[in-house]
């Protein structure tokens, strides 16, 4: 099991560290560390702080910030950058790029659970520069829709 240090940056607003909701939870919810609501109009994107910083310290681990599925599906609140990647050596505040993909305004209220953090394993590959690949797969460079199926 990986150990990650966490620092609460705003003790006025954030009273406790994120916790896994169930034994099967892959991520912990992140809360909006804001004193007043943030409104996102349709198509609008804003950075919202979480009031916490983490120190993963282990180069074999990284963290992903992901949208909460219910908010994304029901309200249209997703991440402006798709997925936030937190490298093992980043120690600043976790910020969430919030994007409103709906046609209605979205309100992010103080301490709202609005994103989730997942810790993942990382492999730093060694790259070998080649002119041609040793083995050519049956797919080769076939990309989007190469199988003819949607």
């Amino acid at each position: 099991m990986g150990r990650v240090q966490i620092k609460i940056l705003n003790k006025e607003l954030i009273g406790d560290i994120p916790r896994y909701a169930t034994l099967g939870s892959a991520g912990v919810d992140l809360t909006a560390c804001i004193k007043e609501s943030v409104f996102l109009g349709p198509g609008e994107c804003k950075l919202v702080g979480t009031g916490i910083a983490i120190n993963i310290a282990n180069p074999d681990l990284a963290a992903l910030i992901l949208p909460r599925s219910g908010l994304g599906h029901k309200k249209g609140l997703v991440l402006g950058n798709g997925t936030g990647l937190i490298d093992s050596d980043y120690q600043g505040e976790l910020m969430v790029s919030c994007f409103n993909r709906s046609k209605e305004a979205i309100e992010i209220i103080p301490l709202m659970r609005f994103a989730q953090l997942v810790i993942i394993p990382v492999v730093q590959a060694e790259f070998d520069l080649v002119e041609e690949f040793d083995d050519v797969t049956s797919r080769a460079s076939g990309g989007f829709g190469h199988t003819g199926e949607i």
Side-chain angles (χ1 to χ4, degrees):
M1 175 183 352
R3 301 214 48 96
V4 173
Q5 295 178 336
I6 189 166
K7 183 177 7 175
I8 297 175
L9 302 174
N10 188 333
K11 293 180 179 157
E12 275 181 39
L13 295 178
I14 305 294
D16 206 359
I17 63 173
R19 301 199 186 294
Y20 294 95
T22 68
L23 288 175
S25 295
V28 295
D29 289 336
L30 297 174
T31 57
C33 185
I34 51 178
K35 291 185 179 184
E36 53 190 51
S37 293
V38 171
F39 292 90
L40 292 171
E44 194 172 6
C45 190
K46 291 184 182 175
L47 274 178
V48 178
T50 63
I52 63 170
I54 60 174
N55 179 25
I56 298 172
N58 180 348
D60 294 330
L61 298 174
L64 299 178
I65 296 178
L66 304 168
R68 293 190 66 228
S69 55
L71 287 174
H73 179 72
K74 295 175 186 173
K75 301 284 187 182
L77 181 63
V78 296
L79 273 59
N81 58 338
T83 302
L85 174 63
I86 311 301
D87 295 313
S88 66
D89 55 355
Y90 176 72
Q91 297 178 337
E93 180 177 10
L94 298 183
M95 302 292 289
V96 179
S97 175
C98 296
F99 177 71
N100 179 358
R101 70 172 183 202
S102 77
K103 294 179 181 172
E104 306 292 327
I106 295 174
E107 179 182 11
I108 299 173
I109 62 173
L111 300 180
M112 174 178 166
R113 296 178 300 138
F114 72 122
Q116 58 185 324
L117 183 76
V118 177
I119 308 295
I120 61 166
V122 170
V123 174
Q124 286 190 341
E126 292 184 25
F127 294 97
D128 295 325
L129 182 61
V130 299
E131 295 295 324
E132 297 292 331
F133 294 126
D134 292 339
D135 298 314
V136 177
T137 66
S138 61
R139 180 176 182 177
S141 61
F144 298 104
H146 80 282
T147 64
E149 297 175 16
I150 295 179

PDB file of all heavy atoms in Angstrom, residues 43-70:
ATOM      1  N   GLY A  43     -20.534  26.428 -20.764  1.00  0.00           N
ATOM      2  CA  GLY A  43     -19.275  26.530 -21.486  1.00  0.00           C
ATOM      3  C   GLY A  43     -18.168  27.240 -20.728  1.00  0.00           C
ATOM      4  O   GLY A  43     -17.085  27.449 -21.256  1.00  0.00           O
ATOM      5  N   GLU A  44     -18.409  27.598 -19.478  1.00  0.00           N
ATOM      6  CA  GLU A  44     -17.418  28.333 -18.691  1.00  0.00           C
ATOM      7  C   GLU A  44     -16.513  27.380 -17.919  1.00  0.00           C
ATOM      8  O   GLU A  44     -16.936  26.308 -17.489  1.00  0.00           O
ATOM      9  CB  GLU A  44     -18.132  29.268 -17.721  1.00  0.00           C
ATOM     10  CG  GLU A  44     -17.235  30.305 -17.102  1.00  0.00           C
ATOM     11  CD  GLU A  44     -18.001  31.339 -16.299  1.00  0.00           C
ATOM     12  OE1 GLU A  44     -19.218  31.224 -16.118  1.00  0.00           O
ATOM     13  OE2 GLU A  44     -17.336  32.279 -15.827  1.00  0.00           O
ATOM     14  N   CYS A  45     -15.256  27.808 -17.722  1.00  0.00           N
ATOM     15  CA  CYS A  45     -14.260  27.003 -17.023  1.00  0.00           C
ATOM     16  C   CYS A  45     -13.580  27.868 -15.966  1.00  0.00           C
ATOM     17  O   CYS A  45     -13.221  29.011 -16.252  1.00  0.00           O
ATOM     18  CB  CYS A  45     -13.232  26.494 -18.030  1.00  0.00           C
ATOM     19  SG  CYS A  45     -12.100  25.259 -17.396  1.00  0.00           S
ATOM     20  N   LYS A  46     -13.445  27.355 -14.736  1.00  0.00           N
ATOM     21  CA  LYS A  46     -12.764  28.075 -13.657  1.00  0.00           C
ATOM     22  C   LYS A  46     -11.958  27.096 -12.823  1.00  0.00           C
ATOM     23  O   LYS A  46     -12.338  25.942 -12.659  1.00  0.00           O
ATOM     24  CB  LYS A  46     -13.774  28.769 -12.732  1.00  0.00           C
ATOM     25  CG  LYS A  46     -14.498  29.921 -13.364  1.00  0.00           C
ATOM     26  CD  LYS A  46     -15.409  30.609 -12.373  1.00  0.00           C
ATOM     27  CE  LYS A  46     -16.158  31.746 -13.054  1.00  0.00           C
ATOM     28  NZ  LYS A  46     -17.134  32.366 -12.161  1.00  0.00           N
ATOM     29  N   LEU A  47     -10.846  27.592 -12.253  1.00  0.00           N
ATOM     30  CA  LEU A  47     -10.054  26.799 -11.315  1.00  0.00           C
ATOM     31  C   LEU A  47     -10.633  26.959  -9.916  1.00  0.00           C
ATOM     32  O   LEU A  47     -10.898  28.074  -9.477  1.00  0.00           O
ATOM     33  CB  LEU A  47      -8.601  27.277 -11.292  1.00  0.00           C
ATOM     34  CG  LEU A  47      -7.663  26.709 -12.330  1.00  0.00           C
ATOM     35  CD1 LEU A  47      -6.282  27.339 -12.178  1.00  0.00           C
ATOM     36  CD2 LEU A  47      -7.568  25.203 -12.252  1.00  0.00           C
ATOM     37  N   VAL A  48     -10.803  25.831  -9.235  1.00  0.00           N
ATOM     38  CA  VAL A  48     -11.318  25.840  -7.864  1.00  0.00           C
ATOM     39  C   VAL A  48     -10.340  25.068  -6.983  1.00  0.00           C
ATOM     40  O   VAL A  48      -9.968  23.936  -7.297  1.00  0.00           O
ATOM     41  CB  VAL A  48     -12.722  25.206  -7.789  1.00  0.00           C
ATOM     42  CG1 VAL A  48     -13.226  25.166  -6.348  1.00  0.00           C
ATOM     43  CG2 VAL A  48     -13.705  25.960  -8.683  1.00  0.00           C
ATOM     44  N   GLY A  49      -9.927  25.685  -5.897  1.00  0.00           N
ATOM     45  CA  GLY A  49      -8.980  25.051  -4.981  1.00  0.00           C
ATOM     46  C   GLY A  49      -9.638  24.039  -4.068  1.00  0.00           C
ATOM     47  O   GLY A  49     -10.836  24.107  -3.792  1.00  0.00           O
ATOM     48  N   THR A  50      -8.822  23.112  -3.587  1.00  0.00           N
ATOM     49  CA  THR A  50      -9.306  22.074  -2.666  1.00  0.00           C
ATOM     50  C   THR A  50      -8.863  22.329  -1.233  1.00  0.00           C
ATOM     51  O   THR A  50      -9.326  21.655  -0.318  1.00  0.00           O
ATOM     52  CB  THR A  50      -8.785  20.689  -3.087  1.00  0.00           C
ATOM     53  OG1 THR A  50      -7.357  20.693  -2.986  1.00  0.00           O
ATOM     54  CG2 THR A  50      -9.224  20.341  -4.504  1.00  0.00           C
ATOM     55  N   GLY A  51      -7.930  23.242  -1.048  1.00  0.00           N
ATOM     56  CA  GLY A  51      -7.434  23.527   0.299  1.00  0.00           C
ATOM     57  C   GLY A  51      -6.481  22.489   0.850  1.00  0.00           C
ATOM     58  O   GLY A  51      -6.132  22.534   2.024  1.00  0.00           O
ATOM     59  N   ILE A  52      -6.055  21.560  -0.005  1.00  0.00           N
ATOM     60  CA  ILE A  52      -5.105  20.533   0.439  1.00  0.00           C
ATOM     61  C   ILE A  52      -3.962  20.413  -0.559  1.00  0.00           C
ATOM     62  O   ILE A  52      -4.095  20.765  -1.734  1.00  0.00           O
ATOM     63  CB  ILE A  52      -5.760  19.144   0.637  1.00  0.00           C
ATOM     64  CG1 ILE A  52      -6.326  18.599  -0.678  1.00  0.00           C
ATOM     65  CG2 ILE A  52      -6.809  19.182   1.735  1.00  0.00           C
ATOM     66  CD1 ILE A  52      -6.772  17.156  -0.617  1.00  0.00           C
ATOM     67  N   ALA A  53      -2.843  19.920  -0.066  1.00  0.00           N
ATOM     68  CA  ALA A  53      -1.685  19.573  -0.896  1.00  0.00           C
ATOM     69  C   ALA A  53      -1.269  18.163  -0.501  1.00  0.00           C
ATOM     70  O   ALA A  53      -1.492  17.736   0.637  1.00  0.00           O
ATOM     71  CB  ALA A  53      -0.538  20.551  -0.661  1.00  0.00           C
ATOM     72  N   ILE A  54      -0.707  17.436  -1.454  1.00  0.00           N
ATOM     73  CA  ILE A  54      -0.223  16.087  -1.165  1.00  0.00           C
ATOM     74  C   ILE A  54       1.240  15.982  -1.557  1.00  0.00           C
ATOM     75  O   ILE A  54       1.717  16.726  -2.415  1.00  0.00           O
ATOM     76  CB  ILE A  54      -1.053  14.985  -1.881  1.00  0.00           C
ATOM     77  CG1 ILE A  54      -1.020  15.159  -3.397  1.00  0.00           C
ATOM     78  CG2 ILE A  54      -2.474  14.955  -1.342  1.00  0.00           C
ATOM     79  CD1 ILE A  54      -1.694  14.029  -4.164  1.00  0.00           C
ATOM     80  N   ASN A  55       1.923  15.085  -0.888  1.00  0.00           N
ATOM     81  CA  ASN A  55       3.310  14.765  -1.225  1.00  0.00           C
ATOM     82  C   ASN A  55       3.367  13.261  -1.458  1.00  0.00           C
ATOM     83  O   ASN A  55       3.457  12.476  -0.518  1.00  0.00           O
ATOM     84  CB  ASN A  55       4.245  15.179  -0.082  1.00  0.00           C
ATOM     85  CG  ASN A  55       5.694  14.851  -0.391  1.00  0.00           C
ATOM     86  OD1 ASN A  55       6.087  14.754  -1.553  1.00  0.00           O
ATOM     87  ND2 ASN A  55       6.487  14.665   0.639  1.00  0.00           N
ATOM     88  N   ILE A  56       3.278  12.876  -2.715  1.00  0.00           N
ATOM     89  CA  ILE A  56       3.301  11.451  -3.049  1.00  0.00           C
ATOM     90  C   ILE A  56       4.697  10.889  -2.805  1.00  0.00           C
ATOM     91  O   ILE A  56       4.843   9.798  -2.259  1.00  0.00           O
ATOM     92  CB  ILE A  56       2.863  11.222  -4.509  1.00  0.00           C
ATOM     93  CG1 ILE A  56       1.415  11.707  -4.691  1.00  0.00           C
ATOM     94  CG2 ILE A  56       2.988   9.752  -4.890  1.00  0.00           C
ATOM     95  CD1 ILE A  56       0.932  11.715  -6.118  1.00  0.00           C
ATOM     96  N   ALA A  57       5.719  11.637  -3.209  1.00  0.00           N
ATOM     97  CA  ALA A  57       7.130  11.341  -2.933  1.00  0.00           C
ATOM     98  C   ALA A  57       7.665  10.067  -3.588  1.00  0.00           C
ATOM     99  O   ALA A  57       8.860   9.926  -3.731  1.00  0.00           O
ATOM    100  CB  ALA A  57       7.402  11.292  -1.428  1.00  0.00           C
ATOM    101  N   ASN A  58       6.828   9.165  -3.990  1.00  0.00           N
ATOM    102  CA  ASN A  58       7.239   7.901  -4.581  1.00  0.00           C
ATOM    103  C   ASN A  58       7.087   7.989  -6.097  1.00  0.00           C
ATOM    104  O   ASN A  58       5.962   8.073  -6.595  1.00  0.00           O
ATOM    105  CB  ASN A  58       6.373   6.773  -4.010  1.00  0.00           C
ATOM    106  CG  ASN A  58       6.712   5.416  -4.568  1.00  0.00           C
ATOM    107  OD1 ASN A  58       7.435   5.281  -5.543  1.00  0.00           O
ATOM    108  ND2 ASN A  58       6.157   4.380  -3.957  1.00  0.00           N
ATOM    109  N   PRO A  59       8.186   7.948  -6.886  1.00  0.00           N
ATOM    110  CA  PRO A  59       8.066   8.069  -8.335  1.00  0.00           C
ATOM    111  C   PRO A  59       7.335   6.900  -8.995  1.00  0.00           C
ATOM    112  O   PRO A  59       7.032   6.962 -10.182  1.00  0.00           O
ATOM    113  CB  PRO A  59       9.512   8.163  -8.811  1.00  0.00           C
ATOM    114  CG  PRO A  59      10.325   7.572  -7.722  1.00  0.00           C
ATOM    115  CD  PRO A  59       9.577   7.809  -6.448  1.00  0.00           C
ATOM    116  N   ASP A  60       7.024   5.876  -8.227  1.00  0.00           N
ATOM    117  CA  ASP A  60       6.239   4.761  -8.760  1.00  0.00           C
ATOM    118  C   ASP A  60       4.739   5.010  -8.637  1.00  0.00           C
ATOM    119  O   ASP A  60       3.927   4.151  -8.984  1.00  0.00           O
ATOM    120  CB  ASP A  60       6.591   3.458  -8.025  1.00  0.00           C
ATOM    121  CG  ASP A  60       8.024   3.028  -8.296  1.00  0.00           C
ATOM    122  OD1 ASP A  60       8.545   3.323  -9.383  1.00  0.00           O
ATOM    123  OD2 ASP A  60       8.627   2.388  -7.410  1.00  0.00           O
ATOM    124  N   LEU A  61       4.359   6.195  -8.113  1.00  0.00           N
ATOM    125  CA  LEU A  61       2.954   6.553  -7.954  1.00  0.00           C
ATOM    126  C   LEU A  61       2.693   7.930  -8.544  1.00  0.00           C
ATOM    127  O   LEU A  61       3.589   8.762  -8.634  1.00  0.00           O
ATOM    128  CB  LEU A  61       2.555   6.573  -6.469  1.00  0.00           C
ATOM    129  CG  LEU A  61       2.661   5.281  -5.687  1.00  0.00           C
ATOM    130  CD1 LEU A  61       2.363   5.537  -4.202  1.00  0.00           C
ATOM    131  CD2 LEU A  61       1.725   4.222  -6.252  1.00  0.00           C
ATOM    132  N   ALA A  62       1.449   8.176  -8.923  1.00  0.00           N
ATOM    133  CA  ALA A  62       0.971   9.494  -9.341  1.00  0.00           C
ATOM    134  C   ALA A  62      -0.481   9.577  -8.890  1.00  0.00           C
ATOM    135  O   ALA A  62      -1.052   8.592  -8.402  1.00  0.00           O
ATOM    136  CB  ALA A  62       1.078   9.668 -10.851  1.00  0.00           C
ATOM    137  N   ALA A  63      -1.072  10.732  -9.040  1.00  0.00           N
ATOM    138  CA  ALA A  63      -2.484  10.893  -8.700  1.00  0.00           C
ATOM    139  C   ALA A  63      -3.224  11.456  -9.902  1.00  0.00           C
ATOM    140  O   ALA A  63      -2.662  12.208 -10.700  1.00  0.00           O
ATOM    141  CB  ALA A  63      -2.644  11.813  -7.490  1.00  0.00           C
ATOM    142  N   LEU A  64      -4.477  11.072 -10.019  1.00  0.00           N
ATOM    143  CA  LEU A  64      -5.357  11.614 -11.047  1.00  0.00           C
ATOM    144  C   LEU A  64      -6.503  12.343 -10.360  1.00  0.00           C
ATOM    145  O   LEU A  64      -7.057  11.845  -9.381  1.00  0.00           O
ATOM    146  CB  LEU A  64      -5.939  10.499 -11.922  1.00  0.00           C
ATOM    147  CG  LEU A  64      -4.967   9.642 -12.716  1.00  0.00           C
ATOM    148  CD1 LEU A  64      -5.732   8.556 -13.473  1.00  0.00           C
ATOM    149  CD2 LEU A  64      -4.159  10.495 -13.675  1.00  0.00           C
ATOM    150  N   ILE A  65      -6.840  13.512 -10.875  1.00  0.00           N
ATOM    151  CA  ILE A  65      -8.064  14.186 -10.448  1.00  0.00           C
ATOM    152  C   ILE A  65      -9.082  13.934 -11.544  1.00  0.00           C
ATOM    153  O   ILE A  65      -8.841  14.204 -12.724  1.00  0.00           O
ATOM    154  CB  ILE A  65      -7.838  15.691 -10.231  1.00  0.00           C
ATOM    155  CG1 ILE A  65      -6.849  15.911  -9.082  1.00  0.00           C
ATOM    156  CG2 ILE A  65      -9.171  16.383  -9.934  1.00  0.00           C
ATOM    157  CD1 ILE A  65      -6.524  17.363  -8.808  1.00  0.00           C
ATOM    158  N   LEU A  66     -10.209  13.383 -11.142  1.00  0.00           N
ATOM    159  CA  LEU A  66     -11.275  13.008 -12.066  1.00  0.00           C
ATOM    160  C   LEU A  66     -12.578  13.679 -11.652  1.00  0.00           C
ATOM    161  O   LEU A  66     -12.761  14.007 -10.476  1.00  0.00           O
ATOM    162  CB  LEU A  66     -11.472  11.484 -12.045  1.00  0.00           C
ATOM    163  CG  LEU A  66     -10.235  10.642 -12.357  1.00  0.00           C
ATOM    164  CD1 LEU A  66     -10.497   9.177 -12.022  1.00  0.00           C
ATOM    165  CD2 LEU A  66      -9.868  10.788 -13.817  1.00  0.00           C
ATOM    166  N   PRO A  67     -13.516  13.831 -12.586  1.00  0.00           N
ATOM    167  CA  PRO A  67     -14.821  14.353 -12.188  1.00  0.00           C
ATOM    168  C   PRO A  67     -15.587  13.308 -11.385  1.00  0.00           C
ATOM    169  O   PRO A  67     -15.310  12.113 -11.482  1.00  0.00           O
ATOM    170  CB  PRO A  67     -15.521  14.632 -13.522  1.00  0.00           C
ATOM    171  CG  PRO A  67     -14.831  13.763 -14.509  1.00  0.00           C
ATOM    172  CD  PRO A  67     -13.429  13.554 -14.010  1.00  0.00           C
ATOM    173  N   ARG A  68     -16.514  13.756 -10.566  1.00  0.00           N
ATOM    174  CA  ARG A  68     -17.428  12.820  -9.909  1.00  0.00           C
ATOM    175  C   ARG A  68     -18.474  12.450 -10.947  1.00  0.00           C
ATOM    176  O   ARG A  68     -19.069  13.325 -11.589  1.00  0.00           O
ATOM    177  CB  ARG A  68     -18.056  13.463  -8.675  1.00  0.00           C
ATOM    178  CG  ARG A  68     -16.998  13.710  -7.594  1.00  0.00           C
ATOM    179  CD  ARG A  68     -17.587  14.111  -6.269  1.00  0.00           C
ATOM    180  NE  ARG A  68     -18.347  13.005  -5.711  1.00  0.00           N
ATOM    181  CZ  ARG A  68     -19.583  13.139  -5.220  1.00  0.00           C
ATOM    182  NH1 ARG A  68     -20.192  14.300  -5.217  1.00  0.00           N
ATOM    183  NH2 ARG A  68     -20.202  12.089  -4.718  1.00  0.00           N
ATOM    184  N   SER A  69     -18.706  11.171 -11.135  1.00  0.00           N
ATOM    185  CA  SER A  69     -19.546  10.707 -12.236  1.00  0.00           C
ATOM    186  C   SER A  69     -20.970  11.256 -12.177  1.00  0.00           C
ATOM    187  O   SER A  69     -21.540  11.616 -13.205  1.00  0.00           O
ATOM    188  CB  SER A  69     -19.551   9.184 -12.303  1.00  0.00           C
ATOM    189  OG  SER A  69     -19.947   8.635 -11.071  1.00  0.00           O
ATOM    190  N   GLY A  70     -21.557  11.337 -10.996  1.00  0.00           N
ATOM    191  CA  GLY A  70     -22.924  11.849 -10.880  1.00  0.00           C
ATOM    192  C   GLY A  70     -23.033  13.303 -11.297  1.00  0.00           C
ATOM    193  O   GLY A  70     -23.962  13.692 -12.007  1.00  0.00           O
TER     194      GLY A  70
END
